[in-house]
Amino acid sequence: MKFRSGFISIVGRPNAGKSTLLNALLGEKISIVSFKPQTTRNVIRGVKHMPGVQMIFIDTPGIHTKKKGPLNEFMVREALSSLRDVDAALFLVDAEKGVTDEDRFIIEGFGRLKSPVVLGVNKTDAVKKPALLPLIASLSALFSFAGVVPISALRGDGLEELSAVLAALLPEGPRYFPDDAVTDLPERFVVAEMIREKVFNLTREEVPYSVAVVVESFEEKKGGRVVAISAAINVERESQKGIVIGRRGAMLKRIGTSARAEIERFLGARVFLELFVRVAGEWTRSARAMKGFGY
Ligand SMILES: Nc1nc2c(ncn2[C@@H]2O[C@H](COP(=O)(O)OP(=O)(O)OP(=O)(O)O)[C@@H](O)[C@H]2O)c(=O)[nH]1
Ligand SMILES: [Mg+2]
């Protein structure tokens, strides 16, 4: 049997469940998730190994048209450019939301793609079965998808079928990654993201959207059994700094405790995590400052 491999970009509106799906497909959490839109900011590559097949999934920021500003524009650009040079695209819609303007905007772009697009209808656990058929019919009227698979990324329903449909679209190709690789992201990046996820889930309004996390030191000790990490949570204003620190440091402590547990699982080591909060000016408005934070 010939070995097949390829790159598959997962695209869709914010909050459709793209990152949840990536983690579920890999069986490991590498991409952060929250109930708020615009969680993912960079493309996140994860490798799925199956007998005779290697699939490299690319999780992307949600594509949207309404929110403006340099950071949002960067995010949408990241998502759209991920579609260049992939072997297939997986378009994820949220069955609870139906067909939205954002979905229509994304579908319009598919006309220019050379690669096949598979439609994944997510969150089927949250809707009644009869609602799915008309949703699939109206989406299929807009574009000729190479396959349609209803799934629940949260529950893991339909993922085997989804993997099989996508694998069948991949060309013969090399093993791009070693057999034990889950991602090519640096550990520091994943750690920073895990901290950002906690801020995203624990703070409100504009605070999550004003935060950038940078791991400033990452030191392995005792042959890698212990890792000492120091990270800065950058915010835009003094008032946000107060919120992230919380009363007598309570919020920062909550962020640190939950992030540390997750980082320990990811690194398979004991972790000492030191967090501090820094005001970095209005970094989401400055292309240069954004670049410094990896955007
Ligand atoms: N009920 C249900 N909820 C889901 C499912 N998949 C994801 N979610 C929830 O949807 C929310 C958004 O999930 P994410 O994976 O962060 O969505 P995303 O598409 O990556 O969002 P962005 O990164 O902002 O573009 C979270 O609260 C998830 O728990 C699903 O199959 N069923
Ligand atoms: Mg995401």
PDB file of all heavy atoms in Angstrom, residues 15 17-20 31-34 38-41 59-62, ligand 2:
ATOM      1  N   ASN A  15     -15.767  30.523  16.737  1.00  0.00           N
ATOM      2  CA  ASN A  15     -16.585  29.740  17.672  1.00  0.00           C
ATOM      3  C   ASN A  15     -17.261  28.506  17.058  1.00  0.00           C
ATOM      4  O   ASN A  15     -18.068  27.864  17.726  1.00  0.00           O
ATOM      5  CB  ASN A  15     -17.657  30.647  18.306  1.00  0.00           C
ATOM      6  CG  ASN A  15     -17.754  30.424  19.795  1.00  0.00           C
ATOM      7  OD1 ASN A  15     -16.760  30.109  20.438  1.00  0.00           O
ATOM      8  ND2 ASN A  15     -18.933  30.551  20.348  1.00  0.00           N
ATOM      9  N   GLY A  17     -15.961  25.744  16.499  1.00  0.00           N
ATOM     10  CA  GLY A  17     -15.447  24.531  17.149  1.00  0.00           C
ATOM     11  C   GLY A  17     -14.210  23.959  16.471  1.00  0.00           C
ATOM     12  O   GLY A  17     -13.870  22.794  16.667  1.00  0.00           O
ATOM     13  N   LYS A  18     -13.498  24.811  15.717  1.00  0.00           N
ATOM     14  CA  LYS A  18     -12.320  24.347  14.964  1.00  0.00           C
ATOM     15  C   LYS A  18     -11.224  23.809  15.875  1.00  0.00           C
ATOM     16  O   LYS A  18     -10.642  22.753  15.630  1.00  0.00           O
ATOM     17  CB  LYS A  18     -11.762  25.495  14.098  1.00  0.00           C
ATOM     18  CG  LYS A  18     -12.758  26.035  13.088  1.00  0.00           C
ATOM     19  CD  LYS A  18     -12.225  27.254  12.337  1.00  0.00           C
ATOM     20  CE  LYS A  18     -12.001  28.462  13.208  1.00  0.00           C
ATOM     21  NZ  LYS A  18     -13.233  29.010  13.826  1.00  0.00           N
ATOM     22  N   SER A  19     -10.949  24.550  16.942  1.00  0.00           N
ATOM     23  CA  SER A  19      -9.853  24.132  17.831  1.00  0.00           C
ATOM     24  C   SER A  19     -10.250  22.902  18.644  1.00  0.00           C
ATOM     25  O   SER A  19      -9.438  22.007  18.869  1.00  0.00           O
ATOM     26  CB  SER A  19      -9.464  25.288  18.765  1.00  0.00           C
ATOM     27  OG  SER A  19      -9.086  26.411  18.002  1.00  0.00           O
ATOM     28  N   THR A  20     -11.512  22.859  19.057  1.00  0.00           N
ATOM     29  CA  THR A  20     -12.021  21.672  19.753  1.00  0.00           C
ATOM     30  C   THR A  20     -11.852  20.454  18.856  1.00  0.00           C
ATOM     31  O   THR A  20     -11.439  19.381  19.301  1.00  0.00           O
ATOM     32  CB  THR A  20     -13.518  21.870  20.088  1.00  0.00           C
ATOM     33  OG1 THR A  20     -13.668  23.093  20.813  1.00  0.00           O
ATOM     34  CG2 THR A  20     -14.059  20.713  20.918  1.00  0.00           C
ATOM     35  N   SER A  31      -4.418  23.091  20.968  1.00  0.00           N
ATOM     36  CA  SER A  31      -5.002  24.354  20.535  1.00  0.00           C
ATOM     37  C   SER A  31      -6.002  24.828  21.587  1.00  0.00           C
ATOM     38  O   SER A  31      -6.789  24.043  22.098  1.00  0.00           O
ATOM     39  CB  SER A  31      -5.716  24.147  19.197  1.00  0.00           C
ATOM     40  OG  SER A  31      -6.016  25.393  18.626  1.00  0.00           O
ATOM     41  N   ILE A  32      -5.952  26.100  21.912  1.00  0.00           N
ATOM     42  CA  ILE A  32      -6.791  26.558  23.019  1.00  0.00           C
ATOM     43  C   ILE A  32      -8.226  26.798  22.570  1.00  0.00           C
ATOM     44  O   ILE A  32      -8.499  27.086  21.407  1.00  0.00           O
ATOM     45  CB  ILE A  32      -6.198  27.796  23.725  1.00  0.00           C
ATOM     46  CG1 ILE A  32      -6.217  29.027  22.815  1.00  0.00           C
ATOM     47  CG2 ILE A  32      -4.794  27.483  24.217  1.00  0.00           C
ATOM     48  CD1 ILE A  32      -5.948  30.320  23.569  1.00  0.00           C
ATOM     49  N   VAL A  33      -9.117  26.666  23.531  1.00  0.00           N
ATOM     50  CA  VAL A  33     -10.557  26.686  23.271  1.00  0.00           C
ATOM     51  C   VAL A  33     -11.228  27.614  24.273  1.00  0.00           C
ATOM     52  O   VAL A  33     -10.855  27.636  25.440  1.00  0.00           O
ATOM     53  CB  VAL A  33     -11.127  25.255  23.457  1.00  0.00           C
ATOM     54  CG1 VAL A  33     -12.640  25.268  23.497  1.00  0.00           C
ATOM     55  CG2 VAL A  33     -10.617  24.322  22.367  1.00  0.00           C
ATOM     56  N   SER A  34     -12.218  28.380  23.821  1.00  0.00           N
ATOM     57  CA  SER A  34     -13.056  29.082  24.792  1.00  0.00           C
ATOM     58  C   SER A  34     -14.446  29.275  24.222  1.00  0.00           C
ATOM     59  O   SER A  34     -14.665  29.080  23.022  1.00  0.00           O
ATOM     60  CB  SER A  34     -12.450  30.441  25.165  1.00  0.00           C
ATOM     61  OG  SER A  34     -12.912  31.436  24.268  1.00  0.00           O
ATOM     62  N   GLN A  38     -13.164  34.447  18.468  1.00  0.00           N
ATOM     63  CA  GLN A  38     -11.807  35.001  18.254  1.00  0.00           C
ATOM     64  C   GLN A  38     -10.802  34.536  19.293  1.00  0.00           C
ATOM     65  O   GLN A  38      -9.982  35.303  19.774  1.00  0.00           O
ATOM     66  CB  GLN A  38     -11.826  36.540  18.237  1.00  0.00           C
ATOM     67  CG  GLN A  38     -12.168  37.128  16.900  1.00  0.00           C
ATOM     68  CD  GLN A  38     -13.591  37.646  16.876  1.00  0.00           C
ATOM     69  OE1 GLN A  38     -14.099  38.124  17.878  1.00  0.00           O
ATOM     70  NE2 GLN A  38     -14.229  37.534  15.747  1.00  0.00           N
ATOM     71  N   THR A  39     -10.866  33.262  19.612  1.00  0.00           N
ATOM     72  CA  THR A  39      -9.918  32.712  20.575  1.00  0.00           C
ATOM     73  C   THR A  39      -8.570  32.427  19.908  1.00  0.00           C
ATOM     74  O   THR A  39      -7.527  32.868  20.385  1.00  0.00           O
ATOM     75  CB  THR A  39     -10.492  31.411  21.187  1.00  0.00           C
ATOM     76  OG1 THR A  39     -11.755  31.709  21.786  1.00  0.00           O
ATOM     77  CG2 THR A  39      -9.556  30.841  22.234  1.00  0.00           C
ATOM     78  N   THR A  40      -8.615  31.679  18.827  1.00  0.00           N
ATOM     79  CA  THR A  40      -7.380  31.321  18.118  1.00  0.00           C
ATOM     80  C   THR A  40      -6.873  32.525  17.333  1.00  0.00           C
ATOM     81  O   THR A  40      -7.653  33.179  16.634  1.00  0.00           O
ATOM     82  CB  THR A  40      -7.649  30.147  17.151  1.00  0.00           C
ATOM     83  OG1 THR A  40      -8.236  29.083  17.895  1.00  0.00           O
ATOM     84  CG2 THR A  40      -6.363  29.664  16.497  1.00  0.00           C
ATOM     85  N   ARG A  41      -5.555  32.816  17.441  1.00  0.00           N
ATOM     86  CA  ARG A  41      -5.011  33.968  16.733  1.00  0.00           C
ATOM     87  C   ARG A  41      -4.000  33.594  15.661  1.00  0.00           C
ATOM     88  O   ARG A  41      -3.768  34.367  14.736  1.00  0.00           O
ATOM     89  CB  ARG A  41      -4.352  34.924  17.731  1.00  0.00           C
ATOM     90  CG  ARG A  41      -5.344  35.637  18.622  1.00  0.00           C
ATOM     91  CD  ARG A  41      -4.622  36.574  19.569  1.00  0.00           C
ATOM     92  NE  ARG A  41      -5.543  37.221  20.494  1.00  0.00           N
ATOM     93  CZ  ARG A  41      -5.160  37.790  21.624  1.00  0.00           C
ATOM     94  NH1 ARG A  41      -3.879  37.786  21.962  1.00  0.00           N
ATOM     95  NH2 ARG A  41      -6.048  38.353  22.418  1.00  0.00           N
ATOM     96  N   ASP A  59      -5.314  24.311  12.240  1.00  0.00           N
ATOM     97  CA  ASP A  59      -6.398  25.046  12.893  1.00  0.00           C
ATOM     98  C   ASP A  59      -6.143  26.527  12.643  1.00  0.00           C
ATOM     99  O   ASP A  59      -4.994  26.975  12.661  1.00  0.00           O
ATOM    100  CB  ASP A  59      -6.387  24.730  14.396  1.00  0.00           C
ATOM    101  CG  ASP A  59      -7.461  25.501  15.161  1.00  0.00           C
ATOM    102  OD1 ASP A  59      -8.442  25.951  14.544  1.00  0.00           O
ATOM    103  OD2 ASP A  59      -7.306  25.639  16.393  1.00  0.00           O
ATOM    104  N   THR A  60      -7.194  27.277  12.375  1.00  0.00           N
ATOM    105  CA  THR A  60      -7.017  28.678  11.974  1.00  0.00           C
ATOM    106  C   THR A  60      -7.916  29.592  12.804  1.00  0.00           C
ATOM    107  O   THR A  60      -8.895  29.132  13.398  1.00  0.00           O
ATOM    108  CB  THR A  60      -7.395  28.855  10.485  1.00  0.00           C
ATOM    109  OG1 THR A  60      -8.807  28.572  10.338  1.00  0.00           O
ATOM    110  CG2 THR A  60      -6.598  27.948   9.576  1.00  0.00           C
ATOM    111  N   PRO A  61      -7.595  30.895  12.843  1.00  0.00           N
ATOM    112  CA  PRO A  61      -8.504  31.829  13.510  1.00  0.00           C
ATOM    113  C   PRO A  61      -9.845  31.882  12.765  1.00  0.00           C
ATOM    114  O   PRO A  61      -9.881  31.681  11.551  1.00  0.00           O
ATOM    115  CB  PRO A  61      -7.778  33.174  13.395  1.00  0.00           C
ATOM    116  CG  PRO A  61      -6.347  32.824  13.130  1.00  0.00           C
ATOM    117  CD  PRO A  61      -6.381  31.551  12.342  1.00  0.00           C
ATOM    118  N   GLY A  62     -10.915  32.140  13.482  1.00  0.00           N
ATOM    119  CA  GLY A  62     -12.227  32.255  12.857  1.00  0.00           C
ATOM    120  C   GLY A  62     -12.248  33.389  11.838  1.00  0.00           C
ATOM    121  O   GLY A  62     -11.706  34.459  12.081  1.00  0.00           O
TER     122      GLY A  62
HETATM  123 MG    MG B   2     -10.020  28.295  17.736  1.00  0.00          MG
END
